Amino acid sequence: MTEYSFVDNTFMVPYTREVADYCDPFCCGDDDLDDFFSKDVFLYEKELLGKSYCWISKSNQREIVAIATLSYDGIKIYTLDNSSKNAFQRRIPQQKRHRSYPAVLIGRLGVNKVYQGRGLNIGTQLMDALKFWFVDENNKAACRYMLVDAYNTESTLHYYIKNGFKPLYKTEQGEKDAFGISLNEDLKSRIFFFDLKLIAE
């Protein structure tokens, strides 16, 4: 089977109401994400809380292959426990260390259900495209890291680990403490980060 190239077979555009109305309904198989992309996404943009982009198939321009919602964020060192802080700052020279670091947050991310489970590796190709987009010299603002508040499920965490992301907090308990979540309460999501300097060098 010929390897599918996400970059060669799609083009990226802002995900607007006009695009949503023109294209077939997007479905990634996750009810929460599908509901967000069909209803809440435009309110988020109106309130300047996130901007969404979609990748449309070149061969069928009514088909959305993937969507991502992005916003600028930051990693605040004072929220980290000592072991998490030491692990995080290890790659940053002492004289360049700050109290916070610029990051881009992947708020929502979905791949069309039609393209899942076919060995096309679209999830990884999409993540690579996003990483290189944010180290492009034409980017309007610098950000050192990518952040994601990922569902705390084995499959979701495996996806981000496979794509080079690491947990911002070394332990679930450290993350619970940082956000005031009680000991007996489930941690529904985990914050993971990727150092964009790894591909910018």
Side-chain angles (χ1 to χ4, degrees):
M1 182 177 69
T2 304
E3 186 174 339
Y4 180 88
S5 171
F6 177 76
V7 172
D8 292 339
N9 286 282
T10 65
F11 61 93
M12 183 184 73
V13 295
Y15 184 59
T16 62
R17 285 191 184 275
E18 291 75 19
V19 170
D21 290 342
Y22 176 79
C23 290
D24 296 333
F26 179 79
C27 176
C28 68
D30 180 290
D31 291 342
D32 181 51
L33 287 174
D34 289 339
D35 191 58
F36 175 82
F37 288 128
S38 67
K39 298 175 184 175
D40 297 335
V41 64
F42 305 114
L43 177 60
Y44 263 63
E45 183 154 346
K46 182 180 178 182
E47 295 298 323
L48 302 180
L49 296 174
K51 185 158 180 72
S52 296
Y53 298 88
C54 64
W55 287 260
I56 295 175
S57 170
K58 288 181 180 177
S59 61
N60 176 7
Q61 296 190 8
R62 289 187 180 274
E63 183 176 63
I64 297 172
V65 178
I67 308 180
T69 300
L70 308 169
S71 59
Y72 284 109
D73 202 339
I75 296 175
K76 297 164 184 64
I77 293 301
Y78 62 83
T79 68
L80 304 179
D81 57 77
N82 285 333
S83 62
S84 299
K85 179 167 62 176
N86 292 338
F88 177 79
Q89 288 193 315
R90 199 165 289 137
R91 283 182 49 84
I92 301 171
Q94 184 72 36
Q95 65 273 23
K96 300 294 184 184
R97 293 182 180 178
H98 297 285
R99 289 186 293 178
S100 65
Y101 298 92
V104 60
L105 174 69
I106 304 171
R108 300 287 195 285
L109 184 74
V111 173
N112 192 321
K113 197 173 181 180
V114 171
Y115 289 84
Q116 297 176 22
R118 294 169 52 187
L120 301 177
N121 215 21
I122 287 180
T124 292
Q125 292 187 64
L126 169 60
M127 188 57 68
D128 287 344
L130 286 170
K131 289 172 183 175
F132 281 101
W133 190 29
F134 279 96
V135 296
D136 188 281
E137 62 183 12
N138 294 317
N139 212 342
K140 292 181 179 179
C143 59
R144 172 70 187 257
Y145 298 97
M146 295 187 86
L147 280 176
V148 63
D149 195 7
Y151 291 139
N152 193 12
T153 62
E154 185 177 349
S155 60
T156 301
L157 299 186
H158 174 74
Y159 167 73
Y160 285 105
I161 291 169
K162 183 179 79 169
N163 284 285
F165 284 72
K166 296 179 179 179
L168 185 58
Y169 298 87
K170 290 184 76 67
T171 65
E172 287 199 16
Q173 187 55 51
E175 192 161 345
K176 283 183 178 183
D177 291 344
F179 292 96
I181 299 171
S182 64
L183 182 64
N184 56 1
E185 190 177 345
D186 289 337
L187 192 59
K188 294 180 180 176
S189 63
R190 297 287 314 272
I191 299 178
F192 275 63
F193 74 96
F194 178 83
D195 189 348
L196 288 165
K197 199 159 188 291
L198 292 172
I199 59 173
E201 292 175 335

